[in-house]
Amino acid sequence: MNRSAATTTLITVAPTGAETSKADVPQLPTSIEELVETAVRCEQAGASLIHLHIRDSDHRPTLDAGLLRACVEAIRGASDLIVQLSTGGSVHDPLEQRLTVLDAEPDSCSLTCGTTNFGDDVFLNPWPFMVELYRQSIAREVVPEFELFDLGHVHALRRLLDEEGLPHGGRVHVDIVTGVPGGMPGTPAALLAAVALLPPQVTSWSATGIGRTHLPILATALGAGGHLRVGMEDNLVFARGRPVQHNEELVARAAEIATVMQRPPMSTTEARGLLNISRRPVS
Ligand code: KMH
Ligand code: ZN
């Protein structure tokens, strides 16, 4: 597949994350009801994939198996979005528990290709964990999205694909995450350096710019043939002095810019074709 031939744009929404507290940002969607409402509105605004972190009844990040499964099922029942669960969780989640995320049978899972400093914390992704998560994703027919926070992660992805082969479905989609304090900076130069180093097996890529790097990275990705990830996991400020009120605003703006760039948002059906992910039945 020719990576540079994208004529439409895959928009991923990452609505919640594990870092922001509900007390600080009450409009952050944390309950299943709020996540379903977010999914429906973001799909209408142009998103085709949702990257999920789950919170407990106290709004704290959790990898509770029952909640994960309930959330996947609820979003599947209410939308056609591709449902991706985070296996990154929060920086405090043990590696063994992060592997259990696959038990919830999402369409897709994140798979970060290396350890990175993460603000004052460390986001652990040692090589043996990456390999184990990758093998389990293949065995369970879950399509991974490879998260690349640094140029070293691009190199580790190449090693993973060379040693372990292609993922379930045969497509290799990556998200280049820029602007995390400790990872690559959110600059066009860093993003384009990562794109230039992507291994040949990669069939599509998107980009994320954390915080104020959100818009320059979005514009660079569109210009360079990439797809987009937006959402309150990554960015809480819509414009100077104006906090994001709903994830839909970020999706709608991304869709508008993509459309101006002659790369309108792709439908969920097109996104499923791009990533070779068929719709799983709602149980
Ligand atoms: N919350 C971060 C520590 C992922 O979802 O896979 C990790 C993260 C990446 O958000
Ligand atoms: Zn995440």
Side-chain angles (χ1 to χ4, degrees):
M1 180 175 288
N2 182 354
R3 258 191 248 157
S4 60
T7 55
T8 50
T9 304
L10 170 72
I11 301 179
T12 296
V13 62
T16 308
E19 283 71 41
T20 301
S21 79
K22 184 83 165 176
D24 288 344
V25 182
Q27 66 272 35
L28 190 76
T30 52
S31 68
I32 292 190
E33 293 72 26
E34 288 169 338
L35 284 166
V36 167
E37 189 264 357
T38 295
V40 170
R41 283 176 61 180
C42 288
E43 181 179 9
Q44 280 165 2
S48 44
L49 193 157
I50 188 163
H51 167 89
L52 284 173
H53 292 251
I54 308 296
R55 302 290 179 100
D56 64 18
S57 54
D58 293 323
H59 312 288
R60 285 187 301 239
T62 178
L63 295 179
D64 178 84
L67 272 179
L68 283 168
R69 186 175 280 275
C71 196
V72 169
E73 291 287 318
I75 290 180
R76 231 177 235 151
S79 80
D80 190 42
L81 292 175
I82 296 169
V83 181
Q84 179 182 96
L85 286 181
S86 166
T87 64
S90 90
V91 290
H92 309 293
D93 289 322
L95 296 175
E96 311 74 55
Q97 207 188 353
R98 286 166 52 192
L99 289 173
T100 66
V101 164
L102 298 184
D103 294 345
E105 300 182 337
D107 303 313
S108 172
C109 67
S110 58
L111 192 164
T112 298
C113 290
T115 293
T116 189
N117 283 318
F118 199 87
D120 293 346
D121 297 301
V122 176
F123 178 30
L124 269 181
N125 295 282
W127 176 255
F129 171 76
M130 284 172 54
V131 172
E132 183 58 28
L133 177 56
Y134 191 48
R135 289 180 181 169
Q136 288 199 23
S137 73
I138 292 170
R140 288 152 173 263
E141 303 188 349
V142 175
V143 173
E145 175 182 284
F146 302 96
E147 312 286 339
L148 311 175
F149 288 65
D150 222 331
L151 290 190
H153 295 191
V154 187
H155 196 57
L157 170 65
R158 184 181 290 262
R159 179 182 171 200
L160 190 69
L161 295 170
D162 286 347
E163 293 186 9
E164 300 288 328
L166 291 175
H168 174 68
R171 306 287 165 78
V172 180
H173 180 67
V174 312
D175 183 45
I176 301 168
V177 185
T178 69
V180 167
M184 71 180 107
T187 60
L191 174 60
L192 295 175
V195 172
L197 289 175
L198 289 174
Q201 296 96 325
V202 171
T203 48
S204 57
W205 62 273
S206 64
T208 303
I210 302 295
R212 67 182 61 190
T213 73
H214 167 77
L215 282 172
I217 289 298
L218 181 152
T220 305
L222 282 172
H227 300 279
L228 306 176
R229 172 172 133 168
V230 298
M232 294 175 74
E233 173 169 344
D234 306 321
N235 173 36
L236 294 164
V237 179
F238 188 81
R240 195 165 307 197
R242 193 185 145 197
V244 176
Q245 293 303 329
H246 195 286
N247 280 280
E248 177 193 33
E249 296 175 324
L250 294 169
V251 174
R253 179 168 64 181
E256 192 182 336
I257 298 173
T259 301
V260 169
M261 293 285 285
Q262 304 300 297
R263 296 261 320 273
M266 64 176 65
S267 66
T268 51
T269 304
E270 282 177 280
R272 289 180 182 281
L274 177 75
L275 305 181
N276 199 14
I277 296 177
S278 47
R279 192 172 161 82
R280 292 193 187 211
V282 183
S283 53

